[in-house]
């Protein structure tokens, strides 16, 4: 499918007048349309709730958009919990799916009334050491089946190698022990494959989790309030990939729900999801300007963003489609490496990519950066975080996070003798 930017060159240039490149730009219209589709695709399940995975794009303005659809938030850190609280999410709309969890964060999750999703059986005692015997009435456990996770088109991922979740034996024991702690409503959660671009992932995962919940219900006599399919619904980063169809996915889950849960008398179980990538990735772009060209053994285009702004290509070799704005229909007859400025040779947004001829000053639209993009940023080489902008439905632009300044970057020296010289107010 041809990838079409959600702004024209003229629009992007107009935005860049007030907001210097690089910047992240999010498309409110696209986000809302997709959220609406997710809601409709699972409307057959009255308790359905998407808990947007905050780590994908931790911005309160984007989180507020999610709230318009009744969605909650999946968190795994103190900052993510605080963001969810700041946008006014009530406890039951916060899922705390953490791992290797600090005591302070369990205490905060409990205080906020969040649903705690235990990553491990040993966390029951750990939690008890923090909150005493005041266990919440509703709690969730994370399952890891081990082995490999396979769909008809091959191996999707390798749960046996992943640090998350409990074995089946531990899971059943954990439920029994939580019941002794007074927990009355249970959830089951698993995340078995990441960035799946197939409509079969959720239905297959759901079939496994539904069968397991049925078994736990029958053996332990516990009530399942929800089954949490977690994240993993992917993005078609490459133009030749067929994007997921959320309606087909919702329908696939409905079929196994009616086959497994309804006959077991478990037709009241709510379906929860924790999608991050699927909710945001296609609706955010990193916009950057070409300002150097270099002709050595290869042709290089230097842009004003770098891997510190978008790490996925450097870290995973991930493909992000690039459109040279204004040259959407020009022939892709030039082969470039598109690079950032880090002193790291993997700081390349594209390698040997066929693109239209790039002229200095051209704006590049790096697609599908709306999730796990800004949020995975870092400060290597003293590079600063860029701004996040929201392109609203009425065409106006709102700065939803300003760019970092050197003063921000130096702020953690505010207690030192260098504070003044670095231009930060000394901490008194
Ligand atoms: C990362 C994560 C998600 C979101 O994953 P996506 O691939 O962005 O959908 C959901 N739940 C948990 C527990 C996660 O760690």
């Amino acid at each position: 499918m041809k990838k079409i930017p959600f702004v024209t060159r003229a629009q992007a240039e107009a935005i860049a007048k007030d907001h210097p490149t690089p910047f992240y730009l999010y498309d409110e219209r696209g986000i809302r349309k997709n959220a609406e589709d997710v809601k409709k695709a699972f409307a057959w399940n009255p308790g359905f709730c998407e808990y947007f995975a905050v780590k994908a794009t931790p911005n309160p303005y984007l989180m507020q958009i999610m709230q318009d659809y009744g969605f909650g938030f999946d968190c795994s850190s103190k900052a993510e919990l605080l963001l969810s609280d700041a946008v006014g999410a009530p406890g039951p709309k916060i899922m705390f799916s953490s791992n290797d969890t600090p005591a302070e964060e369990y205490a905060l999750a409990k205080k906020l009334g969040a649903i705690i999703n235990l990553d491990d059986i040993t966390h029951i005692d750990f939690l008890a050491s923090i909150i005493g015997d005041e266990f919440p009435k509703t709690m969730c456990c994370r399952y890891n089946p081990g082995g490999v996770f396979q769909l008809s088109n091959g191996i999707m991922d390798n749960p046996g190698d992943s640090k998350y979740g409990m074995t089946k034996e531990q899971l059943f024991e954990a439920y029994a022990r939580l019941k002794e702690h007074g927990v009355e409503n249970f959830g089951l959660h698993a995340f078995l494959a990441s960035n799946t671009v197939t409509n079969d992932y959720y239905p297959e995962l759901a079939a496994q989790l539904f069968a397991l919940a049925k078994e736990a219900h029958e053996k332990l006599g516990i009530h399942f309030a929800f089954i949490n399919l977690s994240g993993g619904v992917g993005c078609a980063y490459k133009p030749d990939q067929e994007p997921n169809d959320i309606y087909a996915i919702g329908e696939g889950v409905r079929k196994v729900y009616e086959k497994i849960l309804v006959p077991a008398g478990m037709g009241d179980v709510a379906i929860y999801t924790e999608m991050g990538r699927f909710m945001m990735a296609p609706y955010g772009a990193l916009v950057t300007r070409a300002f150097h060209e270099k002709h050595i053994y290869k042709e290089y285009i230097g842009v004003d963003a770098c891997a510190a702004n978008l790490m996925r290509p450097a870290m995973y070799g991930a493909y992000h489609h690039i459109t040279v704005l204004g040259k959407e229909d020009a022939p892709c007859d030039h082969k470039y490496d598109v690079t950032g400025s880090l002193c790291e040779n993997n700081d390349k947004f594209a390698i040997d990519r066929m693109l239209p001829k790039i002229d200095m000053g051209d704006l590049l639209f790096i697609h599908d950066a709306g999730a796990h993009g800004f949020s995975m940023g870092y400060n290597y080489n003293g590079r600063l975080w860029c701004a996040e902008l929201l392109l609203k439905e009425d065409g106006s632009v709102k700065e939803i996070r300003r760019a970092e300044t050197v003063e921000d970057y130096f702020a953690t020296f505010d207690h030192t003798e260098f504070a003044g010289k670095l231009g930060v107010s000394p901490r008194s």
Side-chain angles (χ1 to χ4, degrees):
M1 217 161 84
K2 189 171 155 76
K3 288 202 169 268
I4 300 166
F6 53 79
V7 281
T8 62
R9 176 183 187 152
Q11 266 177 306
E13 284 292 2
I15 297 168
K17 275 211 176 68
D18 297 327
H19 307 278
T21 54
F23 52 78
Y24 272 84
L25 185 65
Y26 301 97
D27 174 28
E28 180 175 10
R29 186 187 308 266
I31 295 168
R32 286 191 182 278
K33 163 80 171 66
N34 182 67
E36 190 74 50
D37 287 341
V38 167
K39 200 174 156 164
K40 283 188 195 151
F42 286 92
W44 57 266
N45 183 257
F48 172 76
C49 185
E50 149 72 1
Y51 289 78
F52 171 63
V54 176
K55 73 165 190 253
T57 326
N59 188 298
Y61 290 97
L62 302 178
M63 292 168 71
Q64 273 181 331
I65 297 177
M66 296 288 107
Q67 286 178 305
D68 288 348
Y69 302 87
F71 298 165
F73 304 106
D74 164 42
C75 302
S76 68
S77 68
K78 177 178 175 181
E80 291 172 3
L81 286 170
L82 292 175
L83 273 171
S84 303
D85 189 41
V87 298
K93 291 283 180 181
I94 304 175
M95 183 70 62
F96 189 51
S97 290
S98 62
N99 70 96
D100 193 19
T101 314
E104 176 197 13
E105 298 185 1
Y106 271 138
L108 178 59
K110 170 71 168 44
K111 185 173 146 227
L112 296 178
I115 302 173
I116 294 176
N117 180 16
L118 292 179
D119 180 67
D120 193 58
I121 189 162
T122 59
H123 287 214
I124 298 175
D125 288 342
F126 186 71
L127 188 62
S129 75
I130 303 155
I131 64 170
D133 212 27
E134 308 259 298
F135 275 53
K137 291 280 170 261
T138 301
M139 285 192 68
C140 185
C141 290
R142 183 165 184 168
Y143 171 56
N144 180 336
V148 293
F149 183 77
Q150 236 165 330
L151 292 178
S152 54
N153 42 350
I155 292 177
M156 306 292 297
D157 224 317
N158 210 342
D161 260 351
S162 108
K163 67 172 177 172
Y164 308 108
M166 311 181 203
T167 68
K168 181 174 171 184
E169 212 176 18
Q170 292 172 336
L171 182 78
F172 279 54
E173 190 187 330
Y175 283 137
R177 289 183 47 201
L178 289 171
K179 196 176 163 192
E180 286 167 15
H181 278 285
V183 178
E184 291 168 4
N185 302 302
F186 293 86
L188 172 60
H189 169 279
F191 190 155
L192 301 189
S194 196
N195 191 27
T196 58
V197 187
T198 156
N199 297 330
D200 298 335
Y201 170 62
Y202 262 4
E204 175 57 35
L205 170 70
Q208 291 189 19
L209 295 185
F210 293 170
L212 191 64
K214 174 173 181 267
E215 191 182 333
H217 167 68
E218 286 165 359
K219 283 205 176 122
L220 305 168
I222 57 172
H223 172 246
F224 278 91
F226 64 87
I227 289 176
N228 183 345
L229 302 177
S230 187
V233 179
C235 166
Y237 288 99
K238 294 185 179 161
D240 61 0
Q241 283 177 304
E242 180 72 28
N244 286 320
D245 174 354
I246 198 66
Y247 288 100
I249 292 172
E251 181 58 17
V253 175
R254 187 187 66 78
K255 283 202 179 105
V256 287
Y257 188 98
E258 293 197 339
K259 193 167 138 201
I260 302 169
L261 288 184
V262 173
M266 298 170 74
D268 62 336
V269 171
I271 300 299
Y272 292 169
T273 56
E274 296 175 337
M275 294 181 281
R277 197 184 307 273
F278 187 78
M279 305 309 293
M280 285 294 170
Y283 317 111
L286 176 59
V287 178
T288 182
R289 201 182 286 282
F291 71 142
H292 283 297
E293 56 186 312
K294 180 163 175 165
H295 319 280
I296 48 170
Y297 309 102
K298 292 176 89 171
E299 293 296 301
Y300 293 95
I301 295 294
V303 297
D304 58 9
C306 66
N309 304 114
L310 176 63
M311 181 199 246
R312 298 186 72 259
M315 183 166 178
Y316 309 118
Y319 180 95
H320 279 266
H321 197 66
I322 295 177
T323 298
V324 184
L325 291 175
K327 299 183 178 174
E328 286 80 356
D329 298 318
C332 292
D333 54 3
H334 283 62
K335 192 193 265 187
Y336 294 116
D337 281 16
V338 178
T339 78
S341 60
L342 296 187
C343 302
E344 282 244 36
N345 196 41
N346 66 3
D347 185 8
K348 296 182 176 180
F349 293 112
I351 297 173
D352 295 332
R353 182 79 58 90
M354 296 307 295
L355 289 166
K357 178 172 186 307
I358 296 176
D359 295 296
M360 295 304 89
D362 277 351
L363 287 173
L364 274 57
F365 183 97
I366 304 181
H367 290 254
D368 301 319
H372 310 291
F374 181 93
S375 62
M376 289 177 82
Y378 55 107
N379 274 130
Y380 189 55
N381 263 175
R383 290 291 161 201
L384 305 177
W385 295 66
C386 66
E388 292 184 289
L389 311 175
L390 180 63
L391 176 63
K392 311 234 296 190
E393 287 184 293
D394 65 7
S396 66
V397 168
K398 182 176 174 68
E399 184 175 74
I400 56 174
R401 188 195 304 249
R402 67 163 170 81
E404 195 182 25
T405 63
V406 282
E407 291 77 23
D408 296 326
Y409 176 68
F410 290 140
T412 43
F413 292 121
D414 64 357
H415 65 301
T416 73
E417 67 202 84
F418 296 104
K421 283 216 180 334
L422 291 172
V424 295
S425 330
R427 174 179 279 214
S428 46

